[in-house]
């Protein structure tokens, strides 16, 4: 294991040898050049930001470092020695820990088992020491401030943010020299992100190097010492954070200056007609009986804010009838309806972009086009027979609108980068033309440029009368998009803000207030 | 951006790849075809009688029933299920069909039509129950069809009082051994079924969703499709094909007995697996199944010609199944399918 003391002595500012060095690393998948000459060097005790557009090669680079993907060309040095891992195990043995962008937890095992999966505590007979494991897992979760889940729960029960934190906890179980975090904050709300940053700072002070991938430049500026930009698989920029600024980074990422994001003086597109209304609508897991009441108008974009576990996702799942049984009343365009399955909800005109693309959004091993048309198969078929041409047209049209970076409509969804996978999930619902669209973290992992495109597209759809309900952990996103924001806490609506009242402070105030009230009860 | 432009250029090729014929799938089927070819070459060089017209039609006849059952099994395995009851169901369908077929004084044509209806109907009912019970209660189909394995066998014995039914109309039997250009008609029927299944699986919404369910059930459900319908349909199709196989069995062997078909489910599963379909569901083609059934058939026949004992043949077939899965695993890793 690493000698923390000597590293800290070195970190005084004198030239220290880099702990990790990459030189001109290349990797192609068939015709796609995922990495086309990446060079970078990471100092001990440095937080190294790695940024770039969707499909720029960040995750591929990380897979190279942890032995999942073997590079075609280039050299990697770890602490001055040549390093070419062939298995993730080898990478771990060399002190690299990785939290991947797409989750790798085993859904039916408990949280504790997942955390300890690599070294389950066992007694002399090889029987797992459950007590010890659970206590250890509890401590690991408390250390990252995740106290509201039981370590005996199957991971299946957790929302996506909690899963992310469990992955972080698992990576922290072993001491490492280099910790790699691939978009760890994409699913987290500000509270969890803060905790994560505290941990990162702590590790840095102990001499651990951290490679941090994010599409949030503000985070990069807050936490990183150095930042490297990839574009089309090449290093185009690598500098200490103090010597650069946001504009420069964006330019380096997209290769041009980005137009200003949509102005905030946007007018509300809400129409008087009601699109959806809920009266005491209750998800089966809601801890109380009151349920949620709200109204959504045609053309309106209603944002839902709240901390992780506040019931935002559950609300959307309930509306889409993904979970049953439900109670309370739901009206769609004024008519009372009650859905007994997602099929009925969707046929009635509800679309639902789920938060977890890998588990419930995408069929990774099927073509991109098949994923795009999955919810609108009747539009691309006649008498039950598929029209591949139509499928490809839809895919190409939406692909162009969403700036999808892909090898072709017939390539499997698994070949896409994370952000591009997210765009496919969006495309699936845009292809269907619903009346009410529920979006759960719609831009998770999407890069700045494409985000602006998606926002514009969402506005366009609202203009056509589509009503949107958006859950997002990114407050700036909610504030850019929404006409109105409601704040949830403990499965209740605890606050509502109209556009002129929007501010991060007020939203967070409501969110935390609700929680404290709950604690007092 | 650049990627987009490239895509548009290659559109024409892509249209075909979308529907089950991606180059990788093609490669996989070609690989299995190559294995079959090697096997054929090996046996033709190694034995005198293998490549004679007589023996070939012999093999094709022997393959037929397993092939029909395996086509149905492909549907079930594609959605991540398994059907262990097809052997017993075959017996049950046969005795029901056989009973109708031997109704005295019925004109042959009507008797055969009614018998087919009865056999296929029986298969449909059993298959529907398999699918419905496992989908409605969320039970593993392994367990449910294990139950059906016993139920159908018991029912076949009960219906016939454990007796064998025989003396079918002679023209029905003549049909069972009819040849066209040296190819058994019953095999041609099986080929037609393969073609239909291929079309359904690769060209229709129905087929698309079966693959989808095998890969990611939840995504399909949340995209607004009824899992229940597709799951029940897959098992029902398998049941219907058992009914057809039962008719073919009777036409060829001129009997219907409640104890036929023991272990047939395993042969069908073997053909599907050797054909490259994943037991986890979501991956595989019916063309693969056709090749898989041919491989098992050729192997069995060739080994007999070599003079190997029944026991030896059984062992070798087992080895081939395991080999097929291992090869598939490596292929997956190498090509990253
Ligand atoms: N297994 C694969 N087969 C084919 N192409 C792949 C594969 N994995 C990645 N690619 C391609 O390589 C490129 C880089 O992908 P990568 O996942 O590294 O992007 P990324 O920078 O992590 O993007 P994001 O921000 O969206 O996560 C993409 O164009 C992607 O489509
Ligand atoms: Mg990525």
């Amino acid at each position: 294991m690493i000698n923390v003391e000597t590293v800290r002595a070195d970190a005084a500012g004198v030239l220290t040898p880099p702990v990790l060095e990459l030189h001109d690393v290349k990797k192609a998948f068939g015709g796609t050049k995922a990495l086309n000459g990446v060079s970078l060097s990471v100092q001990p005790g440095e937080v190294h930001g790695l940024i770039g557009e969707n499909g720029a090669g960040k995750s591929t680079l990380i897979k190279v470092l942890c032995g999942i993907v073997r590079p075609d060309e280039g050299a990697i040095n770890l602490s001055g020695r040549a390093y070419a891992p062939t298995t993730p195990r080898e990478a771990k043995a060399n002190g690299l820990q990785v939290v991947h962008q797409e989750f790798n937890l085993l859904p039916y095992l408990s949280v504790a088992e997942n955390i300890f999966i690599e070294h389950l505590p066992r007694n002399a007979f090889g029987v797992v020491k459950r007590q010890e494991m659970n206590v250890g897992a509890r401590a690991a979760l408390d250390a990252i401030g995740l106290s509201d889940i039981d370590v005996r729960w199957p991971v299946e029960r957790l929302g996506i943010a909690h899963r992310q934190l469990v992955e972080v906890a698992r990576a922290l179980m072993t001491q490492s020299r280099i910790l790699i975090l691939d978009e760890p904050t994409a699913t987290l709300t500000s509270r969890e992100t803060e905790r994560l940053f505290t941990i990162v700072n702590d590790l840095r002070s102990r001499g651990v190097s951290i490679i941090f991938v994010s599409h949030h430049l503000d985070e990069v500026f807050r936490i990183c010492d150095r930042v490297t930009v990839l574009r089309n698989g090449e290093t185009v920029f690598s500098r200490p954070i103090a010597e650069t600024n946001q504009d420069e980074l964006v330019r380096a990422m997209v290769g041009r200056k980005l137009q200003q994001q949509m102005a905030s003086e946007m007018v509300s597109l809400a129409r008087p007609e009601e699109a959806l209304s809920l009266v005491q609508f209750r998800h089966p897991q809601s801890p109380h009986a009151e349920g949620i009441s709200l109204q959504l108008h045609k053309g309106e974009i209603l944002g839902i804010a709240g901390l992780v576990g506040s019931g935002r996702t559950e609300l959307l799942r309930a509306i889409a009838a993904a979970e049953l049984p439900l109670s309370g009343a739901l009206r769609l365009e004024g008519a009372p309806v009650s859905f007994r399955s997602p099929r009925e909800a969707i046929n009635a005109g509800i679309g639902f972009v789920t938060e977890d693309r890998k588990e419930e959004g995408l069929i990774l091993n099927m073509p991109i086009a098949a994923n795009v048309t999955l919810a609108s198969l009747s539009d691309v078929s006649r008498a039950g027979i598929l029209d591949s041409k139509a499928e490809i047209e839809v895919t190409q049209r939406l692909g162009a609108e969403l700036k999808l970076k892909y090898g072709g409509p017939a390539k499997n969804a698994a070949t896409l980068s994370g952000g591009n996978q997210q765009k496919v999930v969006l495309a699936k619902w845009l292809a269907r033309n619903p009346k009410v669209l529920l979006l759960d973290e719609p831009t998770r992992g999407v890069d700045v440029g494409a985000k602006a495109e998606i926002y514009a597209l969402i506005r366009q759809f609202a203009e056509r009368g589509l009503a949107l309900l958006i859950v997002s952990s990114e407050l700036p996103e909610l504030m850019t998009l929404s006409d109105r924001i409601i704040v949830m806490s403990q499965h209740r609506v605890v606050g509502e803000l109209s556009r002129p009242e929007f501010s991060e402070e007020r939203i967070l105030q409501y969110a935390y207030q609700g929680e404290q009230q709950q604690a007092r009860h | 951006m650049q990627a987009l432009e490239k895509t548009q250029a290659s559109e024409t090729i892509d249209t075909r790849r979308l529907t089950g014929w991606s180059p990788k799938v093609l490669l996989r089927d070609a690989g299995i075809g190559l294995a079959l070819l090697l096997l054929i070459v090996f046996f033709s060089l190694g034995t005198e009688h293998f490549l004679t017209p007589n023996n070939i039609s012999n093999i094709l006849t022997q393959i037929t029933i397993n092939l029909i059952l395996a086509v149905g099994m492909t549907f079930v395995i594609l959605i991540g299920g398994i059907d262990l009851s097809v052997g017993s169901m075959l017996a049950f369908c046969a005795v029901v069909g056989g009973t109708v077929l031997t109704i005295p004084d019925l004109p042959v044509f009507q008797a055969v039509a009614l018998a087919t209806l009865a056999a296929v109907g029986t298969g449909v009912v059993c298959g529907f129950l398999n699918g419905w019970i496992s989908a409605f209660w969320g039970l593993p189909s392994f367990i449910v069809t294990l139950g059906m394995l016993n139920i159908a066998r018991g029912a076949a014995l009960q219906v016939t009082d454990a007796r064998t039914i025989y003396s079918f109309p002679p023209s029905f039997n003549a049909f069972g051994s009819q040849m066209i250009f040296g190819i058994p008609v019953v095999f041609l029927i099986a080929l037609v079924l393969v073609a239909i299944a291929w079309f359904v699986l690769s060209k229709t919404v129905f087929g698309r969703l079966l693959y989808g369910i095998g890969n990611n059930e939840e995504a399909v459900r949340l995209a607004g499709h009824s899992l229940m319908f597709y799951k029940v349909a897959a098992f029902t199709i398998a049941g219907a094909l058992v009914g057809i196989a039962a008719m073919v069995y009777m036409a060829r062997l001129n009997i219907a007995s409640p104890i036929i078909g023991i272990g047939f489910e395993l042969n069908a599963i073997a053909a599907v697996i050797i054909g490259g379909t994943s037991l986890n569901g979501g991956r595989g083609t019916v063309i693969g199944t056709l090749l898989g059934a041919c491989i098992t058939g050729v192997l069995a026949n060739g080994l007999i010609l070599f003079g190997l004992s029944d026991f030896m043949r059984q062992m070798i077939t087992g080895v081939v199944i395991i080999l097929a899965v291992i090869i598939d695993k490596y292929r997956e890793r190498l090509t990253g399918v």
Side-chain angles (χ1 to χ4, degrees), chain A residues 29-30 32-35 52-61 63 69 101-102 182-183 213 215 230 357 405-407 411 414-421 445-447, chain B residues 336:
Chain A
F29 294 103
T32 316
K33 287 181 184 153
L35 299 180
E53 285 185 298
N54 293 134
K58 304 178 296 290
S59 299
T60 307
L61 178 64
K63 285 181 192 153
V69 165
Q101 183 176 17
E102 304 299 333
D182 195 353
E183 296 192 34
V213 179
H215 286 294
L230 298 188
R357 54 182 172 245
K405 189 180 175 200
Y406 63 132
K411 288 263 156 60
T415 64
L416 294 172
S417 77
N420 284 305
Q421 289 182 0
V446 172
D447 68 47

Side-chain angles (χ1 to χ4, degrees), chain A residues 322 359 362 374 384 386 391, chain B residues 203 205 208 216 221-222 224-225:
Chain A
E359 295 277 322
L362 285 176
L374 187 65
L386 290 165
E391 286 195 84
Chain B
K203 301 284 177 200
V205 171
R208 168 71 56 80
N216 188 347
R221 185 177 83 97
L222 291 178
H225 304 288

Side-chain angles (χ1 to χ4, degrees), chain B residues 65-137:
Chain B
I65 286 172
N66 187 32
L67 177 57
I68 298 175
L69 295 177
V71 169
M73 190 68 78
T74 309
F75 280 82
V76 171
I77 291 183
L78 273 180
I79 60 163
I82 191 107
D83 188 346
L84 298 179
S85 65
V86 295
S88 309
M89 269 163 63
L90 182 87
F92 188 32
C93 293
V95 298
V96 171
T99 310
V100 174
L101 202 56
T102 47
I103 294 174
D105 303 330
L106 215 55
V108 179
F109 181 75
Q110 278 172 32
V112 173
L114 280 178
T116 308
L117 215 63
V120 173
T122 308
V124 163
V125 170
C126 293
F128 177 86
L129 286 175
N130 277 337
W132 187 77
I133 292 171
S134 56
F136 188 81
W137 276 287

